[in-house]
Amino acid sequence: MLAYRDLLNTAQYRVVSAPYGPMLVIAGAGTGKTRTIVYRLAWLVEHGVAPYNIVLLTFTRKAAKEMLDRATDLLGAELHGLYGGTFHAFAYRVLRQFKPAWLEERPFSVLDATDQQGIIRRCKEEANIGKGMRGFPNVQTVIGFFSKARNKEEGIGQIIARESPNVLPYADDLEKLGRAYATYKRENALLDYDDLLFELEDILRTDREALNVLRATYRHILVDEYQDTNLVQARILKLLAGSLEDERSVMAVGDEAQSIYAFRGATVRNILDFPKMFPGTSIVALEENYRSLQPILQVANRVMSYAREGYEKTLTAKREGREPVLEVECRSDIEQARCVAERIADLLETEPANEIAVLFRSGYQSYQLEANLAAKGIAYKKYGGVRYQEAAHVKDLMAYLYFIVNPMDLPGFTRIACMQPKIGIKTAEKIFHALGEKGEARYRKNYPALFAELDSLAELRAQKLNAADIVERVIDLYEPHLEEQYPADCQTRRMGLMELHTMATTTPELDLFLAEVLLDSVDREEENEDAVVLSTIHSAKGLEWKHVFVLDLVDGKLPSRFALAREEAMEEERRLMYVACTRAKDKLELYWYVRSESQASYGGDAYCTMSTFLQELDADDADEARVLPNGNLYVSSESKPRLQTRTREAESKQETQSRAEEPAAVREEGSQGDLVPAMDAMKEIRAKQITKCQHRIFGEGRIVNVLENGNLVISFPVLGTKTIMPAYVFVKK
């Protein structure tokens, strides 16, 4: 038996040794979340739970594998039968065992992005949708609309109206295209990535036998990164868990302060409402941080202290050191780029490049910095790019494998056939529909090379081979096409295919291997290059570096311009700021500028306001610095006045101490008292009977004008003049 008390801190031990039932673990950044989950797995097994009665749901296959490997090492034994993987891969496994009724006896395939594009083009053409419409969105954009609508469980029209109003004239056509796409999938036994979760939910709701089997099998459910789940994932968890009687448990681990993927359909409400979904939930906060120095955590804590809603936690550093956080004021965005490049150049004299990262809200915000780094000869890597699974040669190989598993896979067959000379999409489809019919002989005579490959695939389908052997043989079959299509780098590409073969050795069954490759979340490949990292904050989540620079901390950039008028969006921007800060281990530098030359160049407002999140900091949270003409930093001994952007009820020391000693609880936004939304007092505002107002983010202000569209022009003492929708402004009537 492991010495759990000696190996874990108090909060971690409480989680690991928790009794059965529901538990929510609020795992602050850098608090040993993975370690806690690993020891929880070990505890369950050492206390008599069979591994096959445990399911671990994560957001990447890599994360699940790491946790299972570490638990195996701890116990010194294989955890045979313990399933760990993504929600989507789990859904595939269930659907493989309990097929949806509409499939009848047909095998089904899961579409990847390229297959989706081909089918949507086909549906678009057949329904004569978008023809001659210059402004009609491209296929990739259409897929994005469909996916967002599914994951957010909203109509396509709602998504378009909120995110792309310029596409509204085509909303009806897109709705029609969506229905055609759904019909095509049904008729051809196809599921896309988003379908998997909803089909699983339907099985759990309608198939009592399947539900009973799954509940009997998976008696202990652990979910990692619960703040990133969407609505259907939360419902699946509730259905799987059931009433949690008879020594069952469900444990959700996450951090509401790191919920930053609303654009993908994730909702912070899932983690906030978990205690309501599972009455009697025990809540434990992990607050001891093993990553960052205390000044960094002080800034992160301050940022989240203004959150409208969340769980009470205060991160405290386990590492010693007091390197101050720097808040750097630049005269312009151009100066910001030069200064950061100079700072990086200085750091590289003593620090490895891969311990330095520059973070920003959107990808374009690093363009100026990239130019400056290139001029100095500083190597950098920017996170993003094409998924491994989307590389053309990998797609080719996967088409062969899909067709082996499912001979009804038209997209896979089409890709295979189109590798042959003189075969296009339409001809490929004609051949496909002739297979097994009288007309096959004619096509077999005309396209002997294609049918030789199809015969080879049929032989592989009939043989009882493991996934690795099939992949190896298909690579040999595909080799002539590889050399013909990619003569310049065919050897490099073949090495990539052999990596696929290596991956297949871990999964004996071909269909499961294909599902794992397809459904695996985007994991960043290991890069050996010693280079500075440039990354969006979204891409940086889960990573850490010694030195972190955060750029463009001005209102309109972080928080984004869109978020300034929407409180819900503003809250997610706050969480983005928290994630950015907590990536730093030793040194954090926060940059803002007075003037944006890039905005001025295209006629925008050149002058900028320090980010709300910087204004919220207290004088002792960060050292203020300015860039001197010679490029050096001058650290000021005087602090500028800061704007406290949100009024909060005063709490006595006694109250604060008692709250800190209590189990983590949900912090909810206080009442607005006798304030009413400005939209309810527009008559008085237009008559200038009311001028004083309150904004939840920007604080007190004075209404100076009402625009024709009803928006209010408001003067704030520190922020200056802003135009805000009346729904987000409050007045005393």
Side-chain angles (χ1 to χ4, degrees), residues 596-606:
S596 172
E597 298 297 341
S598 58
Q599 289 180 192
S601 66
Y602 58 81
D605 186 1

Side-chain angles (χ1 to χ4, degrees), residues 390-460:
E390 299 299 322
H393 61 296
V394 176
K395 295 290 296 177
D396 290 345
L397 188 77
M398 297 295 282
Y400 285 102
L401 300 176
Y402 284 135
F403 193 71
I404 292 173
V405 172
N406 180 15
M408 295 180 62
D409 184 5
L410 175 58
F413 176 86
T414 301
R415 191 176 189 99
I416 295 168
C418 289
M419 294 183 204
Q420 300 291 337
K422 300 181 180 180
I423 297 181
I425 294 176
K426 291 185 177 180
T427 301
E429 291 179 353
K430 290 178 181 178
I431 297 172
F432 176 83
H433 293 300
L435 295 177
E437 306 293 337
K438 292 182 179 179
E440 180 182 320
R442 178 169 62 89
Y443 288 112
R444 183 177 283 274
K445 180 181 179 181
N446 293 336
Y447 304 103
L450 170 62
F451 279 87
E453 290 190 352
L454 296 180
D455 291 341
S456 297
L457 297 179
E459 290 176 12
L460 289 174

Side-chain angles (χ1 to χ4, degrees), residues 456-609:
S456 297
L457 297 179
E459 290 176 12
L460 289 174
R461 189 182 300 121
Q463 297 177 33
K464 303 296 182 181
L465 300 175
N466 59 41
D469 288 340
I470 294 175
V471 172
E472 183 177 16
R473 297 191 187 190
V474 172
I475 290 174
D476 291 338
L477 184 67
Y478 173 63
E479 183 78 26
H481 300 296
L482 183 69
E483 295 177 353
E484 180 182 351
Q485 296 183 66
Y486 313 105
D489 59 349
C490 63
Q491 289 304 317
T492 302
R493 291 176 183 266
R494 194 178 195 283
M495 291 174 61
L497 297 180
M498 294 310 299
E499 286 293 321
L500 200 69
H501 171 260
T502 302
M503 293 166 59
T505 60
T506 63
T507 307
E509 298 176 69
L510 181 60
D511 65 331
L512 286 179
F513 166 70
L514 291 174
E516 288 177 349
V517 172
L518 174 65
L519 304 177
D520 195 11
S521 297
V522 183
D523 288 334
R524 196 171 289 106
E525 295 182 4
E526 295 292 331
E527 299 186 49
N528 296 320
E529 184 185 8
D530 187 21
V532 174
V533 173
L534 310 183
S535 176
T536 64
I537 301 171
H538 287 98
S539 297
K541 186 173 176 290
L543 302 178
E544 60 185 42
W545 299 271
K546 279 188 177 182
H547 305 270
V548 171
F549 301 82
V550 186
L551 303 186
D552 288 4
L553 286 171
V554 296
D555 280 346
K557 293 291 182 64
L558 184 63
S560 69
R561 187 179 303 275
F562 173 75
L564 290 171
R566 295 184 64 224
E567 193 169 17
E568 182 180 347
M570 187 71 176
E571 288 298 292
E572 179 146 333
E573 297 291 294
R574 178 178 301 284
R575 298 192 291 268
L576 271 174
M577 180 69 178
Y578 171 87
V579 168
C581 293
T582 54
R583 300 311 93 196
K585 294 189 288 185
D586 296 351
K587 183 66 177 178
L588 175 65
E589 298 189 17
L590 308 171
Y591 283 75
W592 75 284
Y593 42 81
V594 176
R595 176 179 171 86
S596 172
E597 298 297 341
S598 58
Q599 289 180 192
S601 66
Y602 58 81
D605 186 1
Y607 294 97
C608 304
T609 302

Side-chain angles (χ1 to χ4, degrees), residues 56-125:
L56 170 65
L57 298 175
T58 64
F59 276 80
T60 67
R61 176 183 166 198
K62 182 179 177 182
K65 185 177 183 304
E66 179 189 353
M67 294 179 193
L68 295 182
D69 287 348
R70 288 174 59 176
T72 297
D73 291 341
L74 271 180
L75 296 171
E78 293 289 337
L79 299 176
H80 295 293
L82 197 162
Y83 177 75
T86 65
F87 270 93
H88 293 84
F90 176 76
Y92 179 86
R93 283 180 172 254
V94 173
L95 296 176
R96 185 169 173 262
Q97 183 179 2
F98 303 100
K99 286 185 180 180
W102 62 268
L103 278 170
E104 298 174 339
E105 298 301 317
R106 296 179 295 169
F108 69 93
S109 295
V110 181
L111 300 170
D112 59 20
T114 302
D115 294 335
Q116 281 184 283
Q117 292 172 22
I119 292 171
I120 288 174
R121 288 193 184 97
R122 178 191 177 98
C123 293
K124 183 169 173 271
E125 183 179 336

